[in-house]
């Protein structure tokens, strides 16, 4: 096939990436199928499927495509996350609840950075786990990791953060609704508590609507506001590491994926996009993230992740308790 051969010679970068991209996409389909038919978090399934095949891809032709998917496809998915959020949803929350959520997010991230040193980790790890816990779970972990410069252990620490916050988010989805009812919260208060504390959007929706439609709506709005905070936090992370780098730039330009996030948020806010396009782009974002996390799993062995140790899990659990305690206290304060 001389035509195909000449095409491959002309576009070596593209053709060299195809096997890895296809492999990650197949794992994303498998993870989605398992989640749809048996329940559970799709991202976690994709991650575990990828890690189970890690030993098979070393030195294979799929490696280039896996590297590309774990970086570039990830950034596309994060950029498209902005289509889920409109400014009207942020305004709908109200000033006092919004300020409380901002405070809870900031305190949780600062606590993560400070506690990381106590547990023997660097501040970068505390920033990653604190941001993932405070903002939106696995998506925030991936976005914050993308905003930080690459390091020798960045992939395994990102994977640990994804596994930890996704697992805790699933547990919270089951435990938090009974806690809200036990504390005597109204439906709106319960929704604010769930949306302000549970890490991942899907688990927030599941927990909120398990109580009532009113609780589900309140939980979704609170959660989307936390997702919106990913923009300033990721910009701040990028600026911090840019200034700490060996060559400080005189003009700061945010990463393209963050510019894309803001662009799609603004586009959603115009009200000009039909629901079909919004849902389509949102679904595309989900597929990009699932495919990217499968690729990250393919690049990392379970043994490397477990080397991080149980103290890292304690750190994430404490961060989870911090944001939960702050939001519960604020619910009673706002009464």
């Amino acid at each position: 096939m001389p035509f195909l051969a000449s095409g491959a010679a002309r576009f070596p970068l593209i053709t060299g990436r195809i096997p890895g991209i296809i492999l990650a996409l197949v794992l994303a389909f498998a993870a989605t199928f398992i989640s749809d038919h048996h329940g559970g978090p799709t991202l976690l399934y994709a991650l575990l499927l990828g890690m189970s095949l890690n030993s098979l891809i070393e030195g294979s032709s799929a490696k280039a495509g896996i590297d590309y998917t774990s970086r570039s496809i990830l950034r596309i998915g994060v950029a498209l996350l902005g289509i889920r959020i409109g400014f009207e949803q942020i305004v709908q929350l109200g000033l006092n609840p919004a300020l409380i959520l901002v405070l809870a997010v900031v305190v949780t991230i600062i606590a993560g950075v400070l506690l990381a040193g106590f547990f023997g980790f660097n501040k970068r790890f505390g920033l990653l786990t604190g941001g993932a816990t405070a903002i939106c779970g696995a998506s925030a972990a991936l976005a914050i990791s993308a905003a930080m410069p690459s390091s020798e252990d960045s992939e395994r620490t990102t994977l640990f953060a994804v596994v930890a916050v996704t697992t805790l988010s699933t547990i919270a989805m089951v435990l938090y609704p009974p806690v809200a009812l036990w504390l005597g919260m109204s439906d709106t208060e319960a929704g604010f508590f769930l949306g302000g504390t549970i890490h991942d959007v899907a688990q927030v929706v599941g927990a909120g609507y398990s109580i009532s439609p009113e609780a589900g709506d309140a939980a979704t709005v609170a959660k989307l506001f936390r997702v919106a905070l990913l923009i300033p936090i990721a910009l701040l992370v990028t600026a911090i590491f840019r200034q700490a780098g060996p060559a400080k730039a005189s003009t700061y330009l945010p990463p393209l994926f963050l510019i894309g996030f803001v662009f799609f948020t603004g586009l959603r806010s115009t009200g000009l996009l039909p629901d079909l396009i919004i849902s389509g782009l949102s679904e595309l974002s989900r597929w990009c993230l699932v495919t990217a996390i499968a690729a990250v799993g393919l690049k990392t062995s379970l043994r490397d992740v477990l080397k991080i140790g149980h103290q890292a899990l304690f750190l994430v659990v404490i961060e989870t308790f911090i944001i939960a305690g702050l939001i519960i206290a604020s619910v009673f304060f706002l009464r």
Side-chain angles (χ1 to χ4, degrees), residues 21 39 57 72 96 143 165 167 183 192 203 235 251 268 278:
I21 294 172
I57 62 100
S72 299
N96 287 337
V165 297
T167 302
L183 291 172
F192 180 71
Q203 281 86 343
L235 284 171
T251 302
R268 164 73 181 264
I278 292 174

Side-chain angles (χ1 to χ4, degrees), residues 77-202:
V78 172
L80 288 170
L81 274 177
I83 203 67
R84 301 184 184 183
I85 307 162
F87 294 132
E88 74 280 358
Q89 295 166 312
I90 299 173
V91 173
Q92 180 183 346
L93 187 63
L95 180 59
N96 287 337
L99 290 175
I100 287 169
L101 288 175
V102 171
L103 179 64
V105 166
V106 171
V107 169
T108 302
I109 293 175
I110 292 174
V113 173
L114 296 177
L115 288 170
F118 175 79
F119 284 107
F121 300 102
N122 57 35
K123 293 180 179 179
R124 175 186 175 126
F125 183 71
L127 181 61
L128 180 65
T129 58
T133 302
I135 302 172
C136 55
S139 298
L142 295 171
I144 292 173
S145 177
M148 294 190 288
S150 297
S151 69
E152 189 176 322
D153 63 346
S154 60
E155 286 176 352
R156 68 187 182 101
T157 55
T158 301
L159 277 183
F160 177 85
V162 169
V163 171
V165 297
T166 303
T167 302
L168 290 173
S169 184
T170 303
I171 294 171
M173 180 181 67
V174 176
L175 295 182
Y176 281 10
V179 168
L181 297 175
W182 179 69
L183 291 172
M185 294 182 183
S186 67
D187 286 357
T188 302
E189 290 172 340
F192 180 71
F193 163 60
L194 298 174
T197 54
I198 297 178
H199 307 322
D200 287 318
V201 175

